[in-house]
Amino acid sequence: MSDIYHFSRGTAPLLISIPHLGSQLPDAQRARMTAVGQQSGDTDWHLDTLYQFADALGASVLGARYSRYVVDLNRPPNDESLYPGQTKTGLCPTHTFRGEALYQHNAALTDDEREHRLQTYWQPYHAKLREELDRIRAEHGTVLLWEAHSIASVLPRLFEGKLPDLNVGTADGASCAPDILDAIAERLPGCGYTSAVNGRFKGGYITRHYGSPAEDIHAVQLEMCQSTYMDESYPYGYQANAAAKVIPVVEGMVRAALAQTLARKR
């Protein structure tokens, strides 16, 4: 058991990664944060509940325990921008997605603190992710990495208007085989939700870094609007009735992608 992440090992060539699931904050950091920062508001809330179907699929599941306000596990270690020209949220954020200060008196973080967070929280998650991808590929000859994310549907600081409900990203097709993406995309028309493929969200660092179709590692990111299954304002309650409608849609996408991943090895 790790203090940094939750992990459960499955039997299928499927790894579901939830890098923004965590909401924990180290005590020393919490003491310096604003009331807004202490709420861990930009967490991908309840995705462990939403993805409970993972067990039935035989998936391995890796989820973070600590908040993205400690370190963002889906950003590159050198903190380069994933979307040049757009607002950058950063490896060690100092503001919420809405632009609110995370630290009292707008305190800055030192380079030593950033490095400590990188080594203490970022590296163990990625080491486990790499380990499991290699293990699953060695066992099955292929692996599907499903990056599970959610976000508030309206965030003017980051994008215009309201996001589509379901946002599929494969780094413009570079992180998974085209037929796997096609299998997912075929599930979207008529699903009851708005959607986009490689639109505003093309996949973060994990999708881009680990996805390698030539090596039989196929990575897909799904960024969901939180309005599809929860309250988007504090205390971020889970809405079971709404979730019951979107869960079969998400499960259908994952099942289709997994089936096509397996078909490629037959």
Side-chain angles (χ1 to χ4, degrees), residues 49-187:
T49 301
L50 195 83
Y51 277 84
Q52 281 187 344
F53 62 80
D55 287 345
L57 295 181
S60 298
V61 181
L62 177 64
R65 294 181 185 273
Y66 281 87
S67 170
R68 72 190 303 157
Y69 293 167
V70 180
V71 66
D72 192 328
L73 301 174
N74 202 30
R75 296 295 179 270
N78 64 1
D79 203 18
E80 66 183 357
S81 177
L82 294 172
Y83 296 96
Q86 299 182 24
T87 300
K88 178 181 167 185
T89 56
L91 180 68
C92 295
T94 56
H95 292 78
T96 71
F97 285 172
R98 291 176 171 81
E100 302 154 301
L102 293 179
Y103 295 93
Q104 299 170 25
H105 314 297
N106 272 314
L109 302 180
T110 66
D111 290 343
D112 285 347
E113 184 168 5
R114 290 190 181 90
E115 183 62 24
H116 170 75
R117 296 185 191 184
L118 189 69
Q119 296 301 323
T120 303
Y121 303 99
W122 193 98
Q123 290 288 359
Y125 190 92
H126 283 266
K128 186 62 176 178
L129 184 58
R130 178 82 269 170
E131 175 188 323
E132 289 304 311
L133 288 173
D134 291 345
R135 178 190 65 80
I136 294 169
R137 183 180 55 175
E139 181 176 342
H140 295 275
T142 190
V143 56
L144 171 65
L145 170 61
W146 189 272
E147 271 287 292
H149 294 262
S150 71
I151 192 169
S153 57
V154 178
L155 289 169
R157 178 172 173 256
L158 301 183
F159 46 80
E160 294 182 5
K162 181 187 180 298
L163 280 174
D165 298 320
L166 305 173
N167 300 269
V168 179
T170 62
D172 285 328
S175 67
C176 84
D179 52 316
I180 295 175
L181 178 56
D182 289 344
I184 297 168
E186 287 171 3
R187 309 284 303 196

